[in-house]
PDB file of all heavy atoms in Angstrom:
ATOM      1  N   ALA B 591      23.335 -13.079   9.875  1.00 89.00           N
ATOM      2  CA  ALA B 591      23.479 -13.685  11.206  1.00 89.00           C
ATOM      3  C   ALA B 591      24.951 -13.977  11.491  1.00 89.00           C
ATOM      4  O   ALA B 591      25.441 -13.761  12.610  1.00 89.00           O
ATOM      5  CB  ALA B 591      22.645 -14.961  11.282  1.00 89.00           C
ATOM      6  N   ARG B 592      25.664 -14.448  10.480  1.00 92.00           N
ATOM      7  CA  ARG B 592      27.087 -14.743  10.655  1.00 92.00           C
ATOM      8  C   ARG B 592      27.852 -13.489  11.069  1.00 92.00           C
ATOM      9  O   ARG B 592      28.651 -13.503  11.997  1.00 92.00           O
ATOM     10  CB  ARG B 592      27.662 -15.290   9.336  1.00 92.00           C
ATOM     11  CG  ARG B 592      29.114 -15.717   9.405  1.00 92.00           C
ATOM     12  CD  ARG B 592      29.722 -15.891   8.009  1.00 92.00           C
ATOM     13  NE  ARG B 592      29.877 -14.641   7.275  1.00 92.00           N
ATOM     14  CZ  ARG B 592      30.835 -13.732   7.516  1.00 92.00           C
ATOM     15  NH1 ARG B 592      31.710 -13.923   8.487  1.00 92.00           N
ATOM     16  NH2 ARG B 592      30.903 -12.619   6.799  1.00 92.00           N
ATOM     17  N   GLN B 593      27.564 -12.405  10.391  1.00 95.00           N
ATOM     18  CA  GLN B 593      28.270 -11.160  10.699  1.00 95.00           C
ATOM     19  C   GLN B 593      27.883 -10.627  12.073  1.00 95.00           C
ATOM     20  O   GLN B 593      28.719 -10.076  12.797  1.00 95.00           O
ATOM     21  CB  GLN B 593      27.958 -10.105   9.621  1.00 95.00           C
ATOM     22  CG  GLN B 593      28.603 -10.420   8.279  1.00 95.00           C
ATOM     23  CD  GLN B 593      28.072  -9.523   7.166  1.00 95.00           C
ATOM     24  OE1 GLN B 593      26.860  -9.333   7.032  1.00 95.00           O
ATOM     25  NE2 GLN B 593      28.978  -8.962   6.376  1.00 95.00           N
ATOM     26  N   GLN B 594      26.610 -10.779  12.440  1.00 94.00           N
ATOM     27  CA  GLN B 594      26.184 -10.297  13.755  1.00 94.00           C
ATOM     28  C   GLN B 594      26.850 -11.106  14.861  1.00 94.00           C
ATOM     29  O   GLN B 594      27.292 -10.552  15.868  1.00 94.00           O
ATOM     30  CB  GLN B 594      24.654 -10.361  13.875  1.00 94.00           C
ATOM     31  CG  GLN B 594      23.976  -9.341  12.972  1.00 94.00           C
ATOM     32  CD  GLN B 594      22.478  -9.235  13.197  1.00 94.00           C
ATOM     33  OE1 GLN B 594      21.877 -10.106  13.821  1.00 94.00           O
ATOM     34  NE2 GLN B 594      21.876  -8.172  12.681  1.00 94.00           N
ATOM     35  N   ASN B 595      26.950 -12.417  14.654  1.00 93.00           N
ATOM     36  CA  ASN B 595      27.592 -13.258  15.664  1.00 93.00           C
ATOM     37  C   ASN B 595      29.074 -12.937  15.816  1.00 93.00           C
ATOM     38  O   ASN B 595      29.651 -13.089  16.889  1.00 93.00           O
ATOM     39  CB  ASN B 595      27.421 -14.741  15.307  1.00 93.00           C
ATOM     40  CG  ASN B 595      25.990 -15.178  15.516  1.00 93.00           C
ATOM     41  OD1 ASN B 595      25.268 -14.596  16.347  1.00 93.00           O
ATOM     42  ND2 ASN B 595      25.557 -16.167  14.765  1.00 93.00           N
ATOM     43  N   ALA B 596      29.674 -12.492  14.736  1.00 94.00           N
ATOM     44  CA  ALA B 596      31.109 -12.211  14.784  1.00 94.00           C
ATOM     45  C   ALA B 596      31.432 -10.974  15.639  1.00 94.00           C
ATOM     46  O   ALA B 596      32.570 -10.799  16.080  1.00 94.00           O
ATOM     47  CB  ALA B 596      31.639 -12.015  13.356  1.00 94.00           C
ATOM     48  N   THR B 597      30.420 -10.126  15.869  1.00 92.00           N
ATOM     49  CA  THR B 597      30.571  -8.885  16.645  1.00 92.00           C
ATOM     50  C   THR B 597      31.843  -8.103  16.307  1.00 92.00           C
ATOM     51  O   THR B 597      32.515  -7.590  17.184  1.00 92.00           O
ATOM     52  CB  THR B 597      30.508  -9.121  18.176  1.00 92.00           C
ATOM     53  OG1 THR B 597      31.567  -9.984  18.571  1.00 92.00           O
ATOM     54  CG2 THR B 597      29.183  -9.687  18.604  1.00 92.00           C
ATOM     55  N   GLU B 598      32.148  -8.019  15.057  1.00 96.00           N
ATOM     56  CA  GLU B 598      33.281  -7.172  14.655  1.00 96.00           C
ATOM     57  C   GLU B 598      32.819  -5.771  14.269  1.00 96.00           C
ATOM     58  O   GLU B 598      33.574  -4.819  14.351  1.00 96.00           O
ATOM     59  CB  GLU B 598      33.992  -7.803  13.442  1.00 96.00           C
ATOM     60  CG  GLU B 598      34.773  -9.061  13.804  1.00 96.00           C
ATOM     61  CD  GLU B 598      35.109  -9.909  12.582  1.00 96.00           C
ATOM     62  OE1 GLU B 598      34.670  -9.553  11.460  1.00 96.00           O
ATOM     63  OE2 GLU B 598      35.792 -10.932  12.761  1.00 96.00           O
ATOM     64  N   LYS B 599      31.582  -5.684  13.840  1.00 96.00           N
ATOM     65  CA  LYS B 599      31.059  -4.403  13.374  1.00 96.00           C
ATOM     66  C   LYS B 599      29.625  -4.261  13.865  1.00 96.00           C
ATOM     67  O   LYS B 599      28.952  -5.249  14.158  1.00 96.00           O
ATOM     68  CB  LYS B 599      31.081  -4.351  11.839  1.00 96.00           C
ATOM     69  CG  LYS B 599      32.487  -4.343  11.253  1.00 96.00           C
ATOM     70  CD  LYS B 599      32.474  -4.312   9.744  1.00 96.00           C
ATOM     71  CE  LYS B 599      32.339  -5.678   9.116  1.00 96.00           C
ATOM     72  NZ  LYS B 599      32.582  -5.700   7.682  1.00 96.00           N
ATOM     73  N   MET B 600      29.158  -3.026  13.928  1.00 97.00           N
ATOM     74  CA  MET B 600      27.747  -2.825  14.262  1.00 97.00           C
ATOM     75  C   MET B 600      27.194  -1.592  13.553  1.00 97.00           C
ATOM     76  O   MET B 600      27.945  -0.703  13.154  1.00 97.00           O
ATOM     77  CB  MET B 600      27.540  -2.708  15.784  1.00 97.00           C
ATOM     78  CG  MET B 600      28.175  -1.491  16.408  1.00 97.00           C
ATOM     79  SD  MET B 600      28.094  -1.499  18.234  1.00 97.00           S
ATOM     80  CE  MET B 600      26.379  -1.089  18.545  1.00 97.00           C
ATOM     81  N   ALA B 601      25.874  -1.596  13.371  1.00 96.00           N
ATOM     82  CA  ALA B 601      25.183  -0.455  12.763  1.00 96.00           C
ATOM     83  C   ALA B 601      24.775   0.454  13.923  1.00 96.00           C
ATOM     84  O   ALA B 601      23.831   0.164  14.656  1.00 96.00           O
ATOM     85  CB  ALA B 601      23.966  -0.941  11.977  1.00 96.00           C
ATOM     86  N   CYS B 602      25.511   1.561  14.101  1.00 96.00           N
ATOM     87  CA  CYS B 602      25.323   2.322  15.340  1.00 96.00           C
ATOM     88  C   CYS B 602      24.050   3.151  15.348  1.00 96.00           C
ATOM     89  O   CYS B 602      23.694   3.724  16.368  1.00 96.00           O
ATOM     90  CB  CYS B 602      26.558   3.172  15.635  1.00 96.00           C
ATOM     91  SG  CYS B 602      26.756   4.556  14.508  1.00 96.00           S
ATOM     92  N   CYS B 603      23.322   3.186  14.233  1.00 95.00           N
ATOM     93  CA  CYS B 603      22.078   3.971  14.237  1.00 95.00           C
ATOM     94  C   CYS B 603      20.991   3.287  15.047  1.00 95.00           C
ATOM     95  O   CYS B 603      20.116   3.967  15.592  1.00 95.00           O
ATOM     96  CB  CYS B 603      21.598   4.229  12.819  1.00 95.00           C
ATOM     97  SG  CYS B 603      21.014   2.778  11.921  1.00 95.00           S
TER      98      CYS B 603
END
Side-chain angles (χ1 to χ4, degrees):
Chain B
R592 184 195 68 76
Q593 289 169 313
Q594 291 188 344
N595 288 333
T597 61
E598 288 162 356
K599 293 179 275 191
M600 65 187 285
C602 71
C603 68

